[in-house]
Amino acid sequence: MKELELKYGCNPNQKPACIYLADGGDLPLTVLNGKPGYINFMDALNSWQLVSELKAATGQSAAASFKHVSPAGAALGIPLTETDRKIYFVDEGAELSPIACAYIRARGSDRLCSYGDWAALSDVCDAATAMYLKNEVSDGIIAPGYTPEALEILKTKKKGNYNVVQIDPAYVPAAAEHKEVFGITFRQGRNTYVPDEASLENIVTKNKTLPPEARADMLTALITLKYTQSNSVCYVKNGQAIGVGAGQQSRIHCTRLAGNKADNWYLRQCEKVLNLPFREGIRRPDRDNAIDVYTSDEYEDILADGIWQQTFTRRPEPLTAEEKKAFIATQSGLTVGSDAFFPFGDNVERARKSGVQYIVQPGGSIRDDNVIETADKYGMVMAFTGLRLFHH
């Protein structure tokens, strides 16, 4: 197929809309079910690049959960722990493939933001992944292939209208890319830089011990940032992007936003949250919303008389600010990545509060010395890549 007509563009008033290759060639994708829209394809094509590059860089299955052209989460296919299964609503006895684990972890990074996401898989979608997706609110999926059983499961979603896209993994786009804004066409060379082990060689801190797990986390951060609207900062732990701060004008605001998301992800694992007495039949999105409010400063909105009874069998004890701070302080071993240099040491100070031990960023600030000094103060390891990863 050379051209695919879309229902409309970004908004219903933007018609006509379609996708095609400028050289007139066949599209490298096939719609197997549903009718994806303009924003769906923006998410699909950006997320596919992320997961395919992440797999190439790490050798592991990779998945992403995309919303509004930025990842809500991305992850490698590392097996789930018992706690993971509980906080991501996975049956104890469910057998999970690496690609299923990758998507469950990607969506679990920020379940609130992943509501109505676009899923991307580096590998063929199997029945285990499809069964998990079946019970989540999602707009569509892109993958290099689908098993027959997985495709039949996905076709039952959204009353048969769930968007399923298959992409040719061998497709290589043209070296130059074009974009039109206000009737004016921009042309630039496509960003073909894919972070790899060589990108992490310039360690600028006194502590130069970078274990394999931290290297994988750095690559996960960098490739996630490559497909996140700038400015962006990403916190990663154990191959999972647990906090993504996108589209902020200030670097410190990115670091705070992503750090707060990483803290929220970790708070789901504290005892009070794990043991929240939910009523039978409470839907997953409602649980996610309740947990988000319960762990926030607005916890009274879910614990007020006449309100808590709608969600819980008994009124939970509040999670106090002191308890949250103490629990977050037990978090450690995180990696933080930035798509451009940290201009001040305050970014390092904020990252440390969320348990960051490893930092990867381009470097190049006139205050690099201050940033390095701040990292050295806490015994952190920081690598300069020398390459910026802005994405717009």
Side-chain angles (χ1 to χ4, degrees):
M1 178 184 295
K2 297 186 182 299
E3 182 175 302
L4 180 63
E5 182 180 356
L6 307 177
K7 189 174 182 180
Y8 49 76
C10 280
N11 299 290
N13 63 299
Q14 293 177 267
K15 301 177 182 179
C18 65
I19 58 171
Y20 61 93
L21 295 184
D23 64 6
D26 290 331
L27 288 167
L29 50 83
T30 304
V31 177
L32 301 180
N33 197 67
K35 189 174 182 179
Y38 186 102
I39 294 175
N40 291 148
F41 274 116
M42 292 288 287
D43 284 343
L45 297 175
N46 277 285
S47 60
W48 164 249
Q49 292 176 85
L50 191 164
V51 299
S52 59
E53 290 182 8
L54 190 51
K55 181 175 183 179
T58 64
Q60 300 185 65
S61 298
S65 174
F66 248 65
K67 283 284 293 291
H68 296 293
V69 205
S70 281
L76 300 175
I78 296 170
L80 303 184
T81 65
E82 185 177 328
T83 299
D84 289 338
R85 285 177 177 259
K86 188 168 184 178
I87 65 176
Y88 303 148
F89 309 128
V90 180
D91 294 337
E92 291 184 9
E95 294 186 9
L96 302 173
S97 61
I99 194 61
C101 289
Y103 177 69
I104 292 168
R105 299 176 81 233
R107 188 178 181 102
S109 301
D110 189 340
R111 288 188 55 83
L112 204 67
C113 287
S114 287
Y115 183 86
D117 73 338
W118 188 277
L121 310 180
S122 66
D123 302 350
V124 170
C125 180
D126 59 7
T129 311
M131 281 300 296
Y132 187 79
L133 256 172
K134 181 181 179 181
N135 295 313
E136 298 288 359
V137 178
S138 172
D139 276 358
I141 181 173
I142 188 168
Y146 301 83
T147 66
E149 185 180 1
L151 186 57
E152 288 308 307
I153 293 169
L154 294 174
K155 283 183 175 180
T156 66
K157 279 184 67 65
K158 298 185 75 171
K159 299 180 180 180
N161 295 315
Y162 187 64
N163 296 311
V164 180
V165 176
Q166 181 171 326
I167 189 163
D168 179 3
Y171 168 68
V172 177
E177 59 185 16
H178 302 78
K179 181 177 182 178
E180 188 175 289
V181 178
F182 198 51
I184 297 172
T185 300
F186 293 69
R187 182 179 65 191
Q188 66 175 353
R190 185 170 170 270
N191 187 1
T192 57
Y193 164 64
V194 179
D196 57 17
E197 290 282 342
S199 306
L200 313 178
E201 291 180 352
N202 184 22
I203 299 177
V204 296
T205 45
K206 293 177 182 178
N207 186 351
K208 300 185 185 299
T209 303
L210 192 60
E213 296 81 6
R215 290 178 178 273
D217 285 354
M218 283 187 172
L219 294 177
T220 300
L222 291 173
I223 294 172
T224 299
L225 290 166
K226 185 181 174 184
Y227 295 102
T228 303
Q229 297 293 297
S230 299
N231 286 329
S232 57
V233 166
C234 178
Y235 289 65
V236 178
K237 184 172 185 180
N238 197 26
Q240 180 179 6
I242 58 173
V244 179
Q248 303 301 302
Q249 287 75 25
S250 165
R251 184 68 43 188
I252 186 60
H253 287 156
C254 290
T255 306
R256 290 171 184 164
L257 174 60
N260 290 343
K261 289 186 176 186
D263 293 345
N264 289 342
W265 170 83
Y266 190 51
L267 283 172
R268 290 181 69 106
Q269 302 174 49
C270 77
E271 186 175 355
K272 278 190 173 181
V273 177
L274 287 174
N275 295 317
L276 283 172
F278 286 106
R279 293 175 53 188
E280 287 291 330
I282 297 294
R283 297 171 61 248
R284 291 183 182 183
D286 294 325
R287 288 193 181 206
D288 291 327
N289 289 336
I291 290 171
D292 183 72
V293 176
Y294 175 74
T295 57
S296 75
D297 293 338
E298 285 77 43
Y299 62 89
E300 291 179 352
D301 290 351
I302 195 73
L303 299 184
D305 286 338
I307 300 296
W308 68 261
Q309 292 92 338
Q310 300 171 24
T311 305
F312 306 112
T313 57
R314 57 177 173 78
R315 186 181 186 276
E317 287 296 318
L319 184 62
T320 68
E322 292 76 15
E323 288 174 316
K324 288 191 287 186
K325 184 176 181 180
F327 187 76
I328 291 169
T330 66
Q331 174 81 296
S332 63
L334 270 67
T335 293
V336 71
S338 177
D339 65 353
F341 60 69
F342 280 155
F344 302 100
D346 57 355
N347 292 277
V348 178
E349 294 281 2
R350 173 60 189 88
R352 180 190 67 87
K353 293 177 181 178
S354 293
V356 166
Q357 175 65 27
Y358 307 99
I359 301 173
V360 61
Q361 55 136 322
S365 167
I366 61 173
R367 300 178 186 83
D368 274 348
D369 289 349
N370 170 252
V371 176
I372 295 170
E373 182 182 5
T374 307
D376 281 337
K377 181 169 65 172
Y378 300 111
M380 294 176 171
V381 181
M382 182 160 61
F384 281 179
T385 66
L387 286 168
R388 196 177 72 180
L389 291 171
F390 277 179
H391 178 64
H392 293 283

